[in-house]
Amino acid sequence: MTTTGEFPSPRPSTTRRLATWLHRRPRTRLAALLAAPVAWLVIAYLGALVLMFINAFWSRDAFTGQVVREFTLDNFLELTQDPYPEITLRTLGMAVAVTVACALIAFPIAYFMAKIARPRWRGLLVVAVVMPLWASYLVKAYAWRLILAEEGVLNWMLGPLGLKGPGYGEIAVWLVMTYLWLPFMIIPVYAGLVRIPDSLLEASADLGGRSWMTFRRVILPLAFPAVVAGSIFTFSLTLGDYIAVQLVSTTIFIGNAIFLNVGAAGDLPLAAAYSLVPLGIIMVYLFVARKLGAFEAL
Amino acid sequence: MPAQSVDTPTTTSRPRTERAAVRLEGVRKVFGDVEAVAGIDLEIDEGEFFSMLGPSGSGKTTTLRMIAGFELPTAGRILLDGEDVSQRPPFERDVNTVFQDYALFPHMDVGDNVAYGLMVRKVPREARALRVEDALRMVRLQGLDRRKPSQLSGGQRQRVALARALINRPRVLLLDEPLGALDLKLREEMQIELKRIQQEVGITFIYVTHDQEEALTMSDRLAVFNRGRIEQVGAPADVYERPATAFVAGFVGTSNLLRGAVAEAVVGRTGMFTVRPEKIHLGEPGASVGADEIGALGQIRDVVYVGPDTRYIVALDAGADLVVTQQNLATSSTEALVARGRAVRLVWKREHCLPIADLA
């Protein structure tokens, strides 16, 4: 900003003066940068959560259907009674089953991508894995509805073999969820495996370890945090889904129960209270995941 | 090294097939359309400290990896102790490797890392613990077995990698530029340490390096690699004093090449000749040249002061530059540096002017 030399000193423009003024005030710059996202986070995100949290301790007048804004634990008491514990356990079981299936399918795929495929194929494979995420979730769920229908593709293919598909129901939910969330498992596991230097695998073989030993003693322990990281996605997404569930089964999961309470029954406080259950489960899950080193793997 | 050649003449005479710990016969390796190793024949003796020296991309590491079993040769045979292992996986070869990046298992502590080979072979726990203790003592890391590799310094990791490989008592230990990541001081320390350990355990060491000084100081014999081929195999003194090719002359030490018209003018013969910089005497233009000596007039073009020595680059009147090193026995840096531009006569013994084959 010196005015010496043969250049005529430019008349400082307003923007230039503003830039200079900001340059000396790092805190103001930071505030300008973060104001919008923080406002969004606090109002739209945390605000909604807080409202839900408060709602969970209100109740609904059974006669008028109006929300009574007085503190009560009745909602949580009701959640310990039929049919809620069963729904909660079923949802939890489904989340675990989907996560395990995703991990089992994702690991060999991710291993192939990370350690066997040539580097120039890796990018293509990553795109191929992520591609289904570009299609609408609803379209994919409906597609599965058609595949699993009584007159659907699956039965048509299995028919000549004298077999029959699972039809609609819990197995269908498990299949569809595993399909929907698989990319969320493959990508972190792939990233985890790519980070294991080949020399470690060679060292294991060099020291006498066959493939199984190398897998169990070297690859699996090193990739496990990445699997846990992927499971955060598959687990929490399964825990919260209710649309795909509705399309391929009539079974009630946590999401469906909340949805019914909001819509048909109109019991917002109970729905809010029930929403806190998967939230609590996820928080415990995240805590355990952190202990297992999943966040370093993300 | 000097002691060996006197009373054991077999080290240089052939055949010695029965004694070879490792034998390569016409080994080639092709990656896609790149020929990394272009046909190598080599014999490495039992208990020998053998170095493979060469620039990056010369095929030395690929050769080592083929001996280890990480790469399978495109053609040729690899024999360990007379047995053809060319197509065997690494876990069925009695060799162990010290990797360039050490390749320590980050999720295991030092003790478990070192014990890995024994664990895999189902050696009982008590026996394992004893041997881990021995191995760690040999590399002077006793008491560190509960540390994680990330809590160790580079030099310590290097020692763990060494202990982990040696605990299996392999027939041959392969070392892939193991000191490359260490700083100079530590590297010199580890060179001595490695040599001591090798003599202690008596295992054949095959040592890959691009550092000619390292190869010269540590090896019993060495092979100089260039573009997938071996240019010369021999004891360090052989390779240094009598380089077989222009490449070897240039890669091992500083090359002073005289060829074509310059060779005719200076040496008086056609062909290619090399002379080591420290063999050349720098004198006044009027200095006498003996019957068994070669003299050449020139001018000092540049002077590089390197502590114990001074390196003079002399432009010969006949053409070509020669490098001359002189120890700074009584010369100070200022005295050395003012020599720039001075006319000189270079004199060296005829026996130090070696004819070499020109393969390049």
Side-chain angles (χ1 to χ4, degrees):
Chain A
M1 295 297 290
T2 51
T3 53
T4 51
E6 61 257 53
F7 296 105
S9 74
R11 236 186 121 73
S13 66
T14 319
T15 50
R16 201 185 178 88
R17 269 184 306 186
L18 182 67
T20 311
W21 185 82
L22 277 174
H23 185 76
R24 279 177 283 148
R25 290 167 185 78
R27 281 158 176 280
T28 317
R29 266 186 296 158
L30 197 64
L33 180 72
L34 292 181
V38 168
W40 168 260
L41 208 67
V42 169
I43 295 166
Y45 192 76
L46 288 178
L49 269 180
V50 168
L51 278 182
M52 196 177 77
F53 188 76
I54 294 169
N55 245 287
F57 295 97
W58 287 343
S59 60
R60 189 190 59 148
D61 190 309
F63 187 62
T64 61
Q66 293 291 309
V67 171
V68 181
R69 299 180 176 189
E70 276 167 29
F71 179 83
T72 170
L73 288 173
D74 286 355
N75 293 326
F76 294 98
L77 222 59
E78 195 177 339
L79 290 179
T80 62
Q81 280 150 28
D82 272 353
Y84 293 107
E86 198 197 327
I87 296 175
T88 307
L89 282 179
R90 183 189 300 138
T91 311
L92 208 59
M94 182 60 73
V96 170
V98 168
T99 298
V100 169
C102 280
L104 289 179
I105 299 171
F107 207 98
I109 297 175
Y111 187 82
F112 175 79
M113 288 163 64
K115 291 288 166 212
I116 300 171
R118 284 154 187 257
R120 63 188 173 137
W121 278 94
R122 278 185 200 161
L124 280 176
L125 287 167
V126 169
V127 171
V129 166
V130 177
M131 192 109 75
L133 298 178
W134 298 351
S136 158
Y137 156 90
L138 269 182
V139 171
K140 286 181 289 181
Y142 266 109
W144 271 98
R145 190 181 157 83
L146 292 177
I147 291 170
L148 295 167
E150 190 61 38
E151 307 288 308
V153 179
L154 191 62
N155 282 343
W156 174 74
M157 285 200 317
L158 292 176
L161 303 170
L163 297 170
K164 206 167 177 302
Y168 296 147
E170 289 183 25
I171 291 184
V173 172
W174 179 63
L175 282 175
V176 175
M177 295 278 158
T178 302
Y179 162 76
L180 284 173
W181 313 138
L182 187 60
F184 294 97
M185 180 65 93
I186 295 178
I187 295 301
V189 175
Y190 162 75
L193 287 172
V194 157
R195 263 186 304 209
I196 301 177
D198 288 342
S199 63
L200 292 189
L201 312 187
E202 287 175 354
S204 174
D206 186 68
L207 295 165
R210 287 154 208 280
S211 307
W212 171 246
M213 186 62 83
T214 302
F215 176 77
R216 203 163 63 91
R217 297 286 180 169
V218 180
I219 300 172
L220 199 58
L222 288 173
F224 188 67
V227 176
V228 175
S231 78
I232 294 172
F233 297 114
T234 58
F235 187 83
S236 62
L237 286 168
T238 309
L239 217 53
D241 195 86
Y242 66 99
I243 298 172
V245 171
Q246 262 180 355
L247 288 175
V248 295
S249 80
T250 51
T251 318
I252 302 289
F253 289 88
I254 292 182
N256 306 97
I258 295 169
F259 179 71
L260 288 173
N261 268 311
V262 172
D267 193 343
L268 266 181
L270 183 63
Y274 205 18
S275 300
L276 294 181
V277 171
L279 214 62
I281 295 173
I282 289 291
M283 276 162 72
V284 171
Y285 196 94
L286 287 178
F287 180 76
V288 174
R290 203 180 70 110
K291 286 270 167 211
L292 293 172
F295 295 130
E296 281 83 60
L298 272 179
Chain B
M1 287 162 281
Q4 156 189 51
S5 54
V6 181
D7 36 36
T8 52
T10 41
T11 44
T12 45
S13 69
R14 291 183 190 262
R16 47 181 176 186
T17 319
E18 283 155 273
R19 293 187 53 211
V22 178
R23 197 183 146 100
L24 306 182
E25 294 176 353
V27 171
R28 279 179 75 230
K29 180 68 190 179
V30 179
F31 295 105
D33 45 3
V34 181
E35 191 175 40
V37 175
I40 279 182
D41 294 286
L42 190 61
E43 267 179 33
I44 297 164
D45 291 343
E46 194 77 59
E48 194 174 24
F49 196 119
F50 190 91
S51 289
M52 298 190 189
L53 175 67
S56 53
S58 61
K60 57 192 193 303
T61 294
T62 306
T63 305
L64 191 84
R65 291 174 57 82
M66 285 193 283
I67 299 172
F70 304 137
E71 310 284 357
L72 298 180
T74 311
R77 297 204 308 159
I78 295 168
L79 293 99
L80 287 181
D81 209 27
E83 209 178 334
D84 187 349
V85 297
S86 312
Q87 301 300 318
R88 278 197 209 160
F91 46 81
E92 286 181 7
R93 297 186 189 203
D94 196 9
V95 300
N96 285 118
T97 308
V98 175
F99 292 83
Q100 192 170 13
D101 64 353
Y102 316 142
L104 299 180
F105 304 122
H107 56 298
M108 297 180 196
D109 62 25
V110 168
D112 288 345
N113 260 289
V114 174
Y116 191 85
L118 303 180
M119 187 269 294
V120 164
R121 287 191 183 82
K122 310 212 158 43
V123 174
R125 192 173 290 274
E126 307 80 63
R128 244 190 271 167
L130 283 176
R131 277 173 70 178
V132 167
E133 210 183 305
D134 276 352
L136 286 178
R137 188 177 315 122
M138 183 171 59
V139 297
R140 305 194 170 147
L141 281 183
Q142 52 270 63
L144 291 186
D145 50 338
R146 293 276 78 93
R147 295 264 190 99
K148 281 284 175 73
S150 57
Q151 295 167 305
L152 301 178
S153 70
Q156 289 172 325
R157 281 179 215 183
Q158 171 63 66
R159 287 160 192 262
V160 175
L162 197 61
R164 184 179 68 174
L166 283 173
I167 200 171
N168 306 297
R169 296 167 189 158
R171 185 161 292 280
V172 179
L173 186 76
L174 308 173
L175 301 103
D176 183 10
E177 307 218 14
L179 308 183
L182 304 180
D183 60 56
L184 184 64
K185 202 93 189 136
L186 204 52
R187 201 155 68 215
E188 285 171 349
E189 230 176 273
M190 280 306 293
Q191 285 172 6
I192 296 166
E193 190 80 1
L194 271 175
K195 195 71 193 164
R196 171 186 68 82
I197 290 169
Q198 196 257 339
Q199 278 157 0
E200 213 173 294
V201 295
I203 291 174
T204 310
F205 274 33
I206 302 182
Y207 190 95
V208 162
T209 180
H210 62 260
D211 184 332
Q212 48 109 355
E213 205 180 301
E214 209 166 271
L216 289 179
T217 52
M218 297 173 79
S219 326
D220 296 325
R221 284 194 311 147
L222 61 112
V224 183
F225 279 67
N226 182 34
R227 292 196 225 143
R229 292 180 194 281
I230 293 179
E231 300 243 344
Q232 189 174 5
V233 183
D238 284 344
V239 174
Y240 185 77
E241 305 265 347
R242 286 181 292 282
T245 67
F247 176 82
V248 175
F251 195 76
V252 183
T254 309
S255 84
N256 273 330
L257 285 183
L258 298 167
R259 63 173 107 196
V262 184
E264 279 198 63
V266 174
V267 187
R269 276 194 287 158
T270 52
M272 182 155 65
F273 300 89
T274 182
V275 54
R276 293 291 180 197
E278 70 277 8
K279 306 284 193 202
I280 303 175
H281 178 74
L282 195 67
E284 299 295 321
S288 61
V289 180
D292 59 342
E293 289 176 330
I294 293 172
L297 287 167
Q299 198 178 27
I300 297 179
R301 202 162 57 72
D302 214 342
V303 181
V304 183
Y305 178 77
V306 279
D309 319 295
T310 302
R311 201 175 294 152
Y312 299 90
I313 292 125
V314 179
L316 296 182
D317 296 347
D321 286 353
L322 285 190
V323 178
V324 180
T325 49
Q326 306 275 281
Q327 272 190 294
N328 291 333
L329 295 173
T331 341
S332 71
S333 63
T334 30
E335 279 168 330
L337 290 170
V338 294
R340 191 171 288 145
R342 189 175 294 169
V344 290
R345 184 188 286 273
L346 303 183
V347 180
W348 64 91
K349 291 228 157 69
R350 239 166 230 292
E351 62 189 85
H352 291 144
C353 189
L354 304 162
I356 50 178
D358 190 359
L359 298 179

